[in-house]
């Protein structure tokens, strides 16, 4: 089958097109616009000259977002991208969800200046979220490949698309940039960056250092969300043919969580419902009811499994809730990260060049809940001040180091490239419990917890990753280019128990994952392109996702001996057109996704029960993507994109003795909207007034595998940016001064943003699965920027 598909893709390659070598390099600079006045090219570039569906977002588009926003907010407008978050900035990690062409973020690839970020999931075992990896003001551009990333991309999860983030280089001239932002929910953010400029006495070395501090109240409930970041980057020219660069980023993130909600909770309690904080007495009262043996006694108990049986009066009602899961006292996510890298690139004579990157990443993190399902030691004994609840944590420690290398050789009609990626990742994960006091909370949920009274499980993981690739870009003639190559992958996952009983090793490997494509220039601004790619996702090394999440030696052994890693086969065809005022792209695609592994949650997430891991078989995805940008005048521009995606399971999930565990055949894939529509109008003519109005529509989504209950309605939101750049003389107070205002959710839409915060369910006809997070209401922010 693989041979037939490759032959079919090769036939397409003869008809369509391939990118130039620079387009396939791991971190190429986008080609400068032919007309410097044509801002359409500086904002969004729709992949001209490439055989894959690729778009680039520039710093201009990132800068109009509200200060502190995730760059994913800008990527959201590109075709095929679905992004949701429960906060106004798209940065609250428990809630952020990005999907591309039906692939959720655990099946996408992410890099920063070529350094792998893993799958950017909340409990990431091999990376971190982009919002922690770099300060948003220091990003220079973002490149999205919807269907297939470059063969050189350092990722083992990019079955679907790839997002590559690139930082701004230090400036050639000395300058200081300062930004200050204030707005809704007592939000403030300050940012400062100092650029040294080129220091001739040090061989032209230039560098910058920056710091950012942000804090805001949650938009509902009690608690705060805050972050502090420090970035450093230096670039040293090595003559005229090389460069040595290095960067280091440090992030301290402290987020208090919003309560995961269900349809039932939203109907009973309203979308503005949240956890109890700062009302400690209510949290204690609910926990005391849950842990009162009297409520479980007798032939007609009032509680069963912690929930009211309908006998008598619901004892939780006196605290304004119906179940112990309607509200906890609080939850939080705490992360400290350091990411660093050194990169050298240099020509090797007149026809060859190489680059090499060495990097490291250390992380310490805790995700915590105040749980009524575990009392503190001593609760219920005479004279004890122990609480009927405790703090439950999932604790993360990452220490990974890696090396990336690439070699490029230009032989005229053939541009050859090859390279490798190696990473050694030690990941330590544990589930612990910390005591609390009855009279008042004695711990700060935004601090790292210490002195646990119980460790439920603790595992030490090691993941060793090797990938390599070879590629040839063949310039057949002035109109046609063809690229063909392949990637090889070998990933070994090991787990050793510290507390628990799980010791195993699983390997994911494939020595031939091909990628072929072509681009044909029809002249007059038209080109057609097409490609075929195969990819594989390695098994995950974590106790909360993937095969090890079962925490069962038998299950892990079964996965090792019987299940294969997830794989995808992607075919895409498209056409682009570009002139002085307009650029547009249309693409169609088909993806066969095999051996898909999914987990169905069976209880509220706070209980920490292992999810049921299932091989849901194959998924078929097909879709259409359209995007275009038109410059009405030198100041006014229009942008629009539409994507249609049909992703369906092709198999039922088998059970024991020939039964069916889940009826998924023909059902829509969870979390995936069928329709995405984005439109924006912008005004910007350099100094003076600028602004942008963006509108986005997301159609309905499912969170149930069987599509039985769990359908979330679609929604439409709008964001507005208005600002003014002063044109003062150099040296004056107005020189380099800019004021910008942002309003998010302009129409104050009431909608469900995040679907799947508590995972997916088999079915949910009663609407009780706690896996929804409402979107933030209308918020407003003002930023003052000054460059010296």
């Amino acid at each position: 089958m693989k041979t037939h598909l490759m032959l079919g893709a090769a036939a397409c390659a003869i008809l369509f097109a391939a990118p130039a070598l620079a387009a396939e390099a791991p971190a190429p600079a986008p080609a400068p616009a032919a007309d410097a006045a044509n801002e359409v090219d500086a904002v969004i570039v729709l992949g001209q000259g490439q055989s894959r569906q690729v778009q680039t977002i520039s710093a201009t588009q990132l800068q109009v977002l509200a200060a502190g926003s995730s760059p994913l907010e800008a990527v959201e407008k590109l075709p095929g991208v679905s992004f949701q978050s429960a906060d106004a900035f798209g940065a609250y990690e428990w809630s952020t969800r990005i999907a591309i062409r039906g692939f959720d973020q655990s099946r996408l690839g992410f890099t920063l200046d070529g350094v792998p970020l893993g799958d950017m999931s909340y409990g990431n075992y091999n990376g971190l979220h982009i919002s922690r990896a770099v300060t948003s003001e220091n990003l220079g551009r973002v490149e999205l490949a919807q269907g297939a990333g470059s063969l050189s991309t350092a990722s083992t999860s990019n079955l679907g698309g790839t997002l590559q983030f690139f930082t701004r280089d230090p400036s050639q001239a000395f300058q200081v940039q300062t930004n200050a932002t204030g707005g809704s929910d007592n939000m403030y953010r300050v940012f400062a960056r100092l650029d040294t400029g080129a220091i001739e006495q040090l061989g032209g070395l230039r560098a910058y250092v920056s710091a950012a501090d942000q804090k805001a109240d949650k938009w509902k409930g009690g608690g705060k969300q805050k972050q502090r970041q420090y970035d450093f980057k230096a670039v040293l020219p090595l003559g005229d043919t090389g460069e040595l660069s290095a960067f280091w980023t440090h992030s301290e993130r402290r987020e208090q969580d919003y309560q995961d909600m269900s349809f039932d909770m939203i109907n009973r309690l309203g979308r503005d419902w949240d956890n109890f904080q700062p009302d400690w007495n209510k949290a204690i009262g609910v926990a005391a009811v849950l842990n009162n043996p009297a409520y479980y006694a007798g032939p007609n108990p009032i509680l069963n499994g912690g929930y009211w049986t309908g006998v008598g009066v619901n004892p939780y009602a006196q605290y304004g809730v119906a179940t112990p899961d309607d509200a906890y006292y609080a939850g939080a996510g705490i992360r400290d990260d350091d990411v660093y890298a050194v990169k050298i690139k240099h020509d090797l004579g007149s026809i060859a060049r190489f680059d090499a990157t060495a990097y490291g990443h250390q992380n310490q993190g805790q995700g915590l809940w105040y749980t009524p399902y575990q009392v503190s030691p001593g609760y219920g004994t005479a004279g004890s001040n122990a609480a009927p609840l405790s703090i439950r944590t999932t604790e993360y420690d990452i220490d990974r180091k890696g090396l990336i290398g690439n070699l490029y050789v230009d032989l005229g009609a053939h541009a050859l490239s090859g390279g490798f990626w190696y990473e050694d990742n030690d990941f330590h994960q544990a589930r612990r419990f910390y005591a609390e006091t009855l009279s008042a909370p004695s711990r700060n949920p935004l601090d790292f917890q210490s002195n646990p009274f119980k460790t439920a499980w603790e595992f030490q993981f090691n993941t060793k990753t090797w990938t390599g690739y070879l590629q040839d870009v063949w310039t057949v003639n002035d109109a046609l280019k063809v690229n063909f190559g392949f990637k090889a992958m070998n990933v070994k996952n090991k787990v050793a128990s510290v507390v628990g009983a799980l010791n195993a090793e699983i390997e994911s490997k494939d020595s031939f994952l091909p990628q072929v494509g072509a681009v044909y220039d029809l002249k007059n601004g038209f080109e057609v392109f097409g490609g075929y790619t195969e990819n594989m996702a390695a098994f995950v090394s974590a106790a909360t996702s993937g095969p090890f999440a079962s925490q069962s030696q038998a299950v892990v052994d079964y996965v090792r001996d019987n299940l294969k890693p997830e794989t995808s086969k992607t075919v895409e065809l498209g056409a682009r057109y570009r002139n002085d005022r307009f650029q547009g792209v249309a693409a169609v695609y088909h993806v066969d996704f095999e051996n898909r592994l999914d987990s169905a949650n069976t209880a509220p997430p706070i209980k920490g029960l292992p999810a049921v891991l299932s091989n849901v078989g194959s998924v078929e995805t097909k879709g259409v993507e359209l995007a275009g940008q038109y410059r009405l005048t030198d100041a006014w521009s229009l942008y629009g994109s539409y994507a249609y995606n049909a992703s369906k399971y092709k198999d039922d999930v088998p059970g024991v003795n020939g039964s069916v565990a889940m009826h998924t055949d023909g059902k829509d894939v969870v979390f995936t909207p069928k329709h995405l529509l984005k439109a924006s109008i912008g005004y910007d003519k350099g100094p003076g007034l600028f602004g942008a109005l963006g509108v986005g529509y997301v159609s309905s989504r499912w969170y149930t595998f069987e599509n039985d209950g769990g359908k979330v309605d679609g929604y439409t939101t709008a964001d507005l940016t208005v600002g003014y750049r002063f044109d003062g003389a150099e040296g004056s107070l107005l020189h380099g001064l800019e004021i910008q205002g942002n309003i998010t959710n302009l129409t104050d839409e009431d909608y469900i943003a995040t679907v799947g915060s508590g995972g997916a369910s088999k079915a949910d006809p009663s609407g009780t699965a706690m896996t929804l997070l409402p979107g933030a209401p209308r918020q407003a922010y003002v930023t003052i920027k000054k460059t010296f």
Side-chain angles (χ1 to χ4, degrees):
M1 183 64 178
K2 178 181 284 191
T3 302
H4 292 309
L5 289 171
M6 287 181 61
L7 289 173
C12 292
I14 295 175
L15 296 175
F16 299 100
L21 174 63
E24 296 297 324
D35 178 2
N38 188 358
E39 279 296 310
V40 67
D41 296 317
V43 177
I44 298 173
V45 179
L46 298 181
Q48 201 79 9
Q50 302 202 42
S51 67
R52 298 170 289 125
Q53 174 76 311
V54 179
Q55 288 96 40
T56 300
I57 294 283
S58 74
T60 304
Q61 192 66 33
L62 299 171
Q63 290 163 4
V64 300
L65 300 174
S69 292
S70 167
L72 298 178
E73 291 276 10
V75 175
E76 180 187 14
K77 68 167 52 182
L78 298 178
V81 178
S82 171
F83 175 68
Q84 290 84 39
S85 182
D87 70 323
F89 305 102
Y92 169 43
E93 287 191 35
W94 179 255
S95 72
T96 57
R97 296 292 186 277
I98 184 169
I100 301 172
R101 292 185 176 177
F103 287 89
D104 61 77
Q105 69 189 55
S106 69
R107 296 172 172 100
L108 304 175
F110 306 90
T111 66
L112 174 66
D113 287 346
V115 173
L117 301 178
D119 61 15
M120 293 206 322
S121 59
Y122 177 78
N124 199 332
Y125 76 100
N126 66 345
L128 71 164
H129 201 276
I130 185 60
S131 298
R132 282 185 278 134
V134 65
T135 307
S136 57
E137 287 87 346
N138 289 329
L139 276 173
R141 74 183 194 278
V142 183
E143 182 180 290
L144 167 68
Q146 280 95 333
S150 167
L151 288 173
S152 63
T153 302
S155 173
T156 57
S157 58
N158 59 330
L159 288 173
T162 301
L163 272 168
Q164 295 180 284
F165 303 91
F166 300 95
T167 57
R168 287 197 289 153
D169 276 346
S171 65
Q172 293 287 344
F174 175 85
Q175 69 175 28
V176 176
Q177 178 186 352
T178 57
N179 301 349
T181 304
S184 299
D185 300 312
N186 298 312
M187 181 270 189
Y188 78 82
R189 178 182 176 88
V190 292
F191 169 80
R193 167 170 158 159
L194 185 149
D195 284 78
T196 65
I199 305 173
E200 297 304 325
Q201 298 90 333
L202 298 176
L205 174 71
R206 62 190 194 277
Y208 69 73
V209 60
S210 71
D213 185 73
Q214 180 171 329
K215 184 177 181 180
D217 295 336
K218 291 165 55 183
W219 64 264
K220 64 173 182 175
K224 299 184 182 297
Q225 295 185 327
K226 54 186 181 178
Q227 183 172 17
R228 186 168 292 162
Q229 292 177 282
Y230 305 94
D231 294 356
F232 166 82
K233 185 175 183 179
V235 176
L236 176 66
L238 300 176
D240 297 328
T241 58
E243 182 181 273
L244 179 66
S245 61
F247 75 81
W248 166 78
T249 68
H250 174 77
S251 170
E252 300 170 6
R253 195 170 189 87
R254 306 289 185 269
E255 294 180 328
Q256 287 193 257
D257 292 319
Y258 297 97
Q259 172 68 319
D260 297 308
M261 303 190 75
S262 65
F263 281 131
D264 172 66
M265 291 172 62
I266 293 172
N267 291 334
R268 287 188 292 108
L269 304 167
R271 74 183 302 273
D272 292 339
W273 178 259
D274 200 37
N275 285 320
F276 286 129
Q277 191 182 23
D279 196 331
W280 183 248
N281 290 332
K282 282 187 176 180
I284 291 293
V286 168
V289 169
L290 175 67
N291 293 289
N292 186 344
Y295 287 121
Y296 301 87
N300 297 301
I302 295 175
L303 298 181
N304 181 24
Y307 298 97
W308 183 43
T309 61
V311 175
V313 177
N314 187 337
Y316 296 114
Q318 59 187 310
Y319 304 108
V321 297
T323 79
D325 299 307
D326 280 349
Y328 313 119
Y329 179 67
I334 306 167
R335 302 287 190 276
D336 285 351
D337 290 274
D338 289 276
V339 183
Y340 47 89
V342 177
K343 180 176 183 177
I344 183 171
K345 54 184 180 180
H346 209 285
D347 290 352
L348 298 173
S350 59
I351 65 169
R353 60 187 173 92
F354 81 97
D355 62 63
T357 303
Y359 67 90
H361 170 216
Q362 281 78 47
N363 162 270
Q364 181 183 8
Q366 291 184 347
L368 63 87
W369 264 310
Y370 286 75
T371 175
Y373 291 100
Q374 174 68 62
V375 301
S376 294
Y379 172 69
T381 61
S384 172
N385 193 34
L389 52 74
S390 61
I391 293 179
R392 193 214 83 174
T393 65
T394 306
E395 304 185 6
Y396 314 87
D397 290 282
I398 298 173
D399 185 3
R400 62 190 182 107
K401 297 176 176 64
L403 184 64
I404 303 167
N406 298 282
L407 176 66
Y408 312 92
V409 180
D410 186 355
L411 299 178
H414 292 271
L416 307 178
S417 60
F420 71 92
W421 167 42
Y422 171 74
E423 181 177 280
D424 189 347
N425 175 25
D426 289 316
F427 176 56
H428 182 248
Q429 194 175 22
R431 170 68 46 78
R432 295 193 172 99
F433 294 85
Y434 297 83
E436 260 294 4
T437 50
L438 180 66
S439 55
S442 59
R443 295 174 180 269
N444 184 344
L446 293 183
D447 287 341
F448 279 98
Q449 306 303 312
S450 59
N451 299 319
F453 68 84
K454 178 182 178 181
T455 297
W457 49 259
E458 183 176 0
F459 300 105
Q460 185 71 49
F461 299 92
N462 177 263
T463 303
K464 286 184 170 61
T465 301
W466 279 101
T467 70
Y469 77 96
L470 290 172
Q471 180 175 248
D472 181 16
V473 179
W474 176 27
T475 303
V476 181
N477 53 44
D478 289 342
L480 176 64
K481 289 184 181 179
V482 178
N483 66 281
F484 42 91
F486 71 95
K487 177 171 69 173
M489 182 191 306
N490 184 281
V491 180
K492 292 183 178 180
N493 313 78
K494 290 183 180 180
V495 59
S497 296
V498 180
V499 176
L502 184 61
N503 295 275
E505 179 176 335
I506 295 180
E507 185 176 32
S508 309
K509 63 180 180 179
D510 195 319
S511 58
F512 187 71
L513 295 165
Q515 182 179 104
V516 296
V519 60
Y520 190 87
D521 187 355
L522 298 171
K523 308 304 180 183
N524 299 319
F526 282 101
E527 67 179 24
V528 291
F529 64 92
Y532 170 80
T533 299
E534 294 186 15
N535 219 331
M536 180 184 74
F539 289 118
V540 173
S541 288
T544 48
S545 60
F548 298 117
S550 65
Q551 299 180 29
S552 163
Q553 187 70 50
V555 171
V556 173
D557 290 345
Y558 178 84
V559 171
R560 180 196 61 206
D561 297 335
N562 297 277
L563 297 187
K564 297 179 180 179
E566 297 177 329
T567 61
S568 65
K569 299 173 182 178
T570 302
V571 177
E572 56 184 350
L573 301 170
R576 302 185 186 96
Y577 174 71
R578 176 178 176 180
N579 61 28
D580 289 343
R581 291 290 181 183
F582 175 80
Q583 61 171 337
V585 62
V588 295
Y589 59 88
H590 182 276
V591 183
D592 280 325
F593 181 3
E594 298 179 356
N595 305 313
R596 176 165 172 146
L597 299 176
D598 272 319
S599 297
N601 283 347
T602 57
I606 197 171
K607 293 186 177 182
L609 301 181
V612 179
L613 182 71
S614 300
N615 184 339
V616 298
S618 299
V619 172
E620 181 182 35
T621 295
K622 49 191 175 183
V624 178
E625 295 166 346
L626 306 171
Q629 187 165 18
Y630 182 68
R631 180 156 294 284
L632 299 168
T633 69
D634 287 345
W636 288 95
S637 65
L638 294 172
Y639 171 83
S641 71
Y642 168 75
Y644 169 79
N645 176 279
S647 296
K648 292 185 179 294
Y649 300 106
K650 297 174 65 177
D651 304 287
D652 287 330
V653 178
V656 296
N657 299 322
S659 64
V660 176
M662 288 196 296
H663 294 276
T664 51
D665 187 13
K667 299 301 195 309
D668 291 334
V669 171
V670 293
F671 313 143
T672 303
K674 274 190 170 63
H675 304 278
L676 295 167
L677 180 63
K678 309 295 168 59
S680 64
I681 183 170
Y683 177 86
D684 194 337
K685 199 178 180 180
L689 186 68
F690 66 92
L693 173 65
V695 180
Y697 168 73
V698 177
S699 69
S700 60
R701 295 156 288 165
W702 295 94
Y703 63 80
T704 56
F705 290 108
E706 294 188 336
N707 295 174
D708 180 8
K711 187 176 184 178
V712 180
D713 290 339
Y715 63 90
T716 301
T717 56
D719 297 321
L720 177 67
T721 300
V722 177
Y724 192 89
R725 299 187 190 96
F726 292 88
D727 191 19
E730 188 169 353
S732 70
L733 183 62
L734 295 181
H735 180 71
L737 180 65
E738 179 179 326
I739 298 177
Q740 177 176 310
N742 292 87
I743 301 177
T744 60
N745 194 2
L746 181 64
T747 61
D748 205 22
E749 175 86 350
D750 183 351
Y751 68 104
I752 301 298
T754 303
V755 177
S757 60
S761 301
K762 175 184 177 181
D764 189 29
S766 59
T768 57
M770 297 173 61
T771 194
L772 307 174
L773 289 169
R778 181 169 48 232
Q779 311 265 272
Y781 309 96
V782 175
T783 300
I784 299 175
K785 305 177 183 181
K786 173 67 175 171
T787 301
F788 300 90

